[in-house]
Amino acid sequence: MLSQREPVEASPGAVRREPRAAAGVRQALSSLRSSPGFRLLWISNLFFYGGAWTQTLVLGWLVFDTTRSEFLLAVFTAVRLAPMLLGPFAGVLSDRYDRVRLLMSACLWALGAVVAVAVMASSGPVSYGALVAGGLAIGLAQSPSQPARGSLVLDLVGRENLSNANALNALAMNMTQVIGPAIGGAMISVFGAPAALWISTTWYAVSLVALWPLRGAGRPTPGRPEPVLRMLTSGFRTVLASRLTSAVLLVTLAANVLLWPVYQGFMPVFAKESLGLDAAGLGWLLTCGGLGGLAGSLVIAMLGDFRFKGGLFVLGTAAWGALWSLFALSRTVPLSFALMACIGLMSASFGVLQTTLLLMTTAPEVRGRALGLQELAIGVMPFASLGLGVAAERVGVGTTAFLSGILLVAVLLTLAARVPQLVRYDGANIP
C-alpha cells in the first residue's frame, strides 16, 4: 500500500509546480500579451537592434583589420557614436511631434545608410575614411531616435507595466546581441563583410514595416508647443531639479565614460590579441554577453512591478563594473566566455532600470527631454572612447578596462552613500 500511495502523493506536487512556472512566463510576457501596440513596437525594436549589432561588429572588424590601431578604432567608435550628442534636441522632438513618425524616419535613414556602406564594401576595399563616414551616417539614424523610442513605451503600456516592458525591450536587444554578432562573425568568415552588411539592411526594412500600423499612437499632448529652445531649457531645469533623477543620470554618465566604450570599441582587440580569436570567435564572445543579458532581462521581466528597483540598479551596476575588471585580467578563453556571460547578466540591471527609473521620476510632459538628457549622458562615449583609446595605446587594453571597472564600482558606492533615496526607491510615485 505504501508503494501505491507514494506516486499519488508526489503527483500533486508536480502539478502545483506547473502553474507557478506558467504564471512566471505570463508575468514576464505581460506587456506583450496585453498591448498589441507594444507588440508591434517590440518587433520593430527587435529588428532595428539586430541591424545595429550586426553592422557594429562588421564595421568594427573592418576598421581594426584595416588599420591595426586601437586609437583609430577608438576614433571610428567616437564618430559613430557622436550623434548621441543630439539627444537633447531629439528629446524636444519626442515631446513635440508624433513619436512613431520619428521612428519611421530613423528606420528609413538607417536603411539608406547601411545600403550605401554595403555598396561600397561590395565594390572593393573600403578606405578608413569611408568607414568612418558610414559609421557616422548609421549613428545619425540610431541615437537621436532613442528618446522617442523610450517615451513611446510608456504611452503604450502605462506606468504599472513600464518595468516589464523595458525589460522586454532589453530582452529584444540582447536577443539581437546573441543573433547579430553570431551571424555577422560567421558571415565575415564564410562570405566576407559585405554579405553581413547586406543582412543588416533587411533587418531595418522589417523594423520599418512593423511600425507602420502604429501611426498616430505616439502623438504629443494637444496644445500649442513652446519654441524649441525654450522647451529645451525649461525641460532640463525641471528634470535636473530632482536629486533622484540627477542621480540616475549620473550613473548613466559614469557607465558610459568608463565601461561602455570598452565594450563598443575594444572587443576586437580583446578577441585578437588577448584571446587569439578570429571573427567568428569574436562573434561568439559577444554572443555570450548577449545570452547573459537575455537571462538578466528575463529575470527583471518576471519580477514585474517589483519594489527594489533603485537598489538593484545601483548594486547591480556596481557588480557589472567588478566583473569587467575580472574579464580584463583573464587570458583564458573559457573563463573569458563565462565572465562575458556574467557581464551580460548584470548589465541588465543597468540597461533596463536606467530608463525605467528615469521615466518614473519625471513628469509626463518632460519625459522626452529627460530621455534626451540620458542620450546626452550616453553621448559622452565618443570622447571617452578617445581618452580610453590613448590609454590603451600606452598601457594596454586590459589595464585600461581593469581600472575603468574599479572606478565605476567606486562611483556607485559613493553615490549609494550620498543619495540613499535612490537605493530605496521603489517606483511607487514621482518624487
Side-chain angles (χ1 to χ4, degrees):
M1 294 296 292
L2 289 174
S3 62
Q4 292 177 346
R5 268 197 223 83
E6 287 172 357
V8 175
E9 291 173 355
S11 177
V15 172
R16 285 194 297 270
R17 284 194 294 270
E18 290 181 1
R20 286 198 295 268
V25 173
R26 285 196 299 271
Q27 177 62 49
L29 302 178
S30 60
S31 296
L32 289 174
R33 294 173 62 249
S34 63
S35 173
F38 178 71
R39 281 200 298 272
L40 289 170
L41 177 63
W42 189 85
I43 292 170
S44 175
N45 289 343
L46 180 70
F47 283 90
F48 190 88
Y49 295 144
W53 279 112
T54 301
Q55 56 84 16
T56 294
L57 181 138
V58 175
L59 292 181
W61 182 269
L62 282 173
V63 167
F64 190 68
D65 194 53
T66 299
T67 65
R68 293 287 176 174
S69 169
E70 291 90 345
F71 179 71
L72 289 179
L73 179 60
V75 171
F76 165 79
T77 303
V79 172
R80 183 174 62 81
L81 298 176
M84 290 180 178
L85 297 174
L86 299 175
F89 294 98
V92 171
L93 295 178
S94 175
D95 286 334
R96 188 183 180 100
Y97 299 111
D98 188 309
R99 291 165 182 146
V100 174
R101 294 189 182 276
L102 290 173
L103 295 182
M104 292 175 66
S105 300
C107 281
L108 280 171
W109 179 270
L111 180 61
V114 179
V115 165
V117 177
V119 167
M120 288 190 293
S122 299
S123 302
V126 186
S127 68
Y128 175 71
L131 289 172
V132 171
L136 175 62
I138 294 169
L140 285 170
Q142 294 174 7
S143 303
S145 67
Q146 293 304 101
R149 197 177 303 278
S151 299
L152 186 59
V153 173
L154 188 57
D155 294 338
L156 294 173
V157 305
R159 186 181 180 88
E160 66 279 2
N161 283 323
L162 181 60
S163 180
N164 174 264
N166 279 332
L168 289 172
N169 268 337
L171 192 71
M173 179 179 288
N174 285 294
M175 286 171 63
T176 59
Q177 189 177 346
V178 172
I179 297 170
I183 291 176
M187 292 293 286
I188 292 173
S189 297
V190 178
F191 300 112
L197 288 172
W198 282 113
I199 287 176
S200 69
T201 65
T202 64
W203 294 52
Y204 287 129
V206 175
S207 177
L208 177 63
V209 171
L211 286 171
W212 187 261
L214 290 176
R215 298 185 317 280
R219 291 177 179 170
T221 303
R224 185 185 180 92
E226 296 179 283
V228 171
L229 289 179
R230 186 179 300 171
M231 286 185 69
L232 188 70
T233 56
S234 64
F236 286 2
R237 281 197 300 268
T238 301
V239 171
L240 295 177
S242 167
R243 182 176 174 84
L244 193 58
T245 305
S246 298
V248 175
L249 288 169
L250 180 60
V251 176
T252 298
L253 179 65
N256 284 280
V257 167
L258 295 170
L259 280 187
W260 274 121
V262 174
Y263 187 76
Q264 293 281 346
F266 297 143
M267 292 308 293
V269 185
F270 278 115
K272 280 190 172 185
E273 298 188 353
S274 299
L275 302 173
L277 300 174
D278 59 8
L282 170 61
W284 286 114
L285 184 64
L286 295 178
T287 296
C288 282
L291 285 171
L294 189 109
S297 300
L298 185 60
V299 169
I300 294 177
M302 293 177 68
L303 292 174
D305 190 24
F306 63 99
R307 297 187 61 183
F308 49 95
K309 296 180 182 71
L312 181 59
F313 176 59
V314 174
L315 300 179
T317 303
W320 178 58
L323 286 166
W324 264 112
S325 293
L326 294 176
F327 176 82
L329 297 175
S330 173
R331 295 297 181 269
T332 306
V333 172
L335 177 60
S336 295
F337 273 61
L339 285 170
M340 185 53 61
C342 293
I343 286 170
L345 179 70
M346 297 313 302
S347 72
S349 58
F350 170 74
V352 172
L353 292 173
Q354 63 168 337
T355 301
T356 299
L357 293 176
L358 197 61
L359 289 170
M360 284 186 165
T361 58
T362 52
E365 63 273 10
V366 295
R367 281 174 179 148
R369 280 161 283 182
L371 292 176
L373 274 174
Q374 180 190 66
E375 196 69 10
L376 181 62
I378 298 171
V380 304
M381 196 190 306
F383 303 103
S385 294
L386 292 175
L388 293 179
V390 172
E393 289 273 7
R394 294 182 177 179
V395 301
V397 169
T399 301
T400 302
F402 173 79
L403 294 176
S404 293
I406 293 297
L407 283 172
L408 182 63
V409 172
V411 168
L412 267 294
L413 295 179
T414 302
L415 188 67
R418 297 292 299 273
V419 191
Q421 58 265 43
L422 176 59
V423 180
R424 295 193 299 265
Y425 184 66
D426 60 4
N429 51 29
I430 299 174

